[in-house]
Amino acid sequence: YVQGQSPEPRVREYFYYIDHQGQLFLDDTKVKNFVTCFKDQAFLVFFFSRLRSNQTGRYQDGFPFLSPCGRERNFLRCDDRPVVFSHLLPGDPELLSYCGGGERLAVAFQPEALFVHPLSGRLYHPCPEQAGGVGLVRSALAMELSPAFLPQEGGRRPTHFEWRGRKHRLSNRLSERFPGPETQ
């Protein structure tokens, strides 16, 4: 691919990458760090609010997600998941914010729906279905939440999450979204 290529009249295609910290880059950016990622909240909200599965027949294997914008096709690949939760916003309800969008890109925090992957140890939470249904919780936020996990007696896998004075039994319903018997 070539950034900005025009495979047909009046259509442009761009290619992006999102890392496990929730930072968005042009895919061909050589050095990917905070300095080179997109930070404009209006752009990020626009981009991620349109995110969906790539069903175009173009670049589906390498870029499984698409954020269409008029005649522009913005293809996205990701380190893990296209939605990365980075902040827990206070309020009633508490919100998990993702991909740099603040309150404009957020879902209600569901403590019982948190899922710790047994192999990777990564933490996941539900996200909008059109964006894949499962979002990764950024490492820094996962570390903040980790003391609230209560392990099963004699086991290492957490069964409960104690939050705001309430003990939540983990449903592990997100395990169905990961292939393999080790997640069940």
Side-chain angles (χ1 to χ4, degrees), residues 149-164:
F149 283 100
L150 305 174
Q152 178 179 14
E153 285 212 24
R156 295 177 37 181
R157 194 167 178 174
T159 57
H160 291 81
F161 185 80
E162 194 166 342
W163 192 248
R164 307 286 187 237

Side-chain angles (χ1 to χ4, degrees), residues 68-113:
C69 172
R71 295 181 178 269
E72 193 173 282
R73 296 181 195 132
N74 297 301
F75 296 97
L76 177 69
R77 70 182 184 92
C78 45
D79 177 42
D80 187 325
R81 299 286 165 158
V83 167
V84 180
F85 296 105
S86 56
H87 296 89
L88 184 59
L89 305 176
D92 188 22
E94 289 178 291
L95 300 174
L96 269 180
S97 173
Y98 59 94
C99 301
E103 289 182 359
R104 296 175 59 201
L105 288 177
V107 299
F109 181 48
Q110 303 171 50
E112 72 285 349

Side-chain angles (χ1 to χ4, degrees), residues 17-162:
Y17 170 75
I18 187 164
D19 71 7
H20 65 279
Q21 299 297 329
Q23 297 176 117
L24 182 68
F25 305 91
L26 282 172
D27 186 59
D28 53 356
T29 299
K30 298 232 184 289
V31 177
K32 293 178 172 69
N33 59 36
F34 182 75
V35 174
T36 60
C37 73
F38 288 91
K39 296 173 219 47
D40 181 71
Q41 188 179 53
F43 171 76
L44 295 169
V45 168
F46 186 83
F47 185 94
F48 285 102
S49 65
R50 288 160 176 70
L51 192 64
R52 61 200 32 127
S53 177
N54 179 1
Q55 304 291 321
T56 65
R58 295 180 59 77
Y59 304 103
Q60 283 177 232
D61 290 338
F63 293 86
F65 297 92
L66 177 75
S67 178
C69 172
R71 295 181 178 269
E72 193 173 282
R73 296 181 195 132
N74 297 301
F75 296 97
L76 177 69
R77 70 182 184 92
C78 45
D79 177 42
D80 187 325
R81 299 286 165 158
V83 167
V84 180
F85 296 105
S86 56
H87 296 89
L88 184 59
L89 305 176
D92 188 22
E94 289 178 291
L95 300 174
L96 269 180
S97 173
Y98 59 94
C99 301
E103 289 182 359
R104 296 175 59 201
L105 288 177
V107 299
F109 181 48
Q110 303 171 50
E112 72 285 349
L114 289 167
F115 174 68
V116 179
H117 194 283
L119 298 179
S120 69
R122 287 185 169 179
L123 183 60
Y124 298 90
H125 186 276
C127 75
E129 199 58 46
Q130 73 180 28
V134 179
L136 174 68
V137 177
R138 186 173 90 169
S139 298
L141 180 55
M143 290 301 290
E144 287 178 38
L145 298 174
S146 65
F149 283 100
L150 305 174
Q152 178 179 14
E153 285 212 24
R156 295 177 37 181
R157 194 167 178 174
T159 57
H160 291 81
F161 185 80
E162 194 166 342

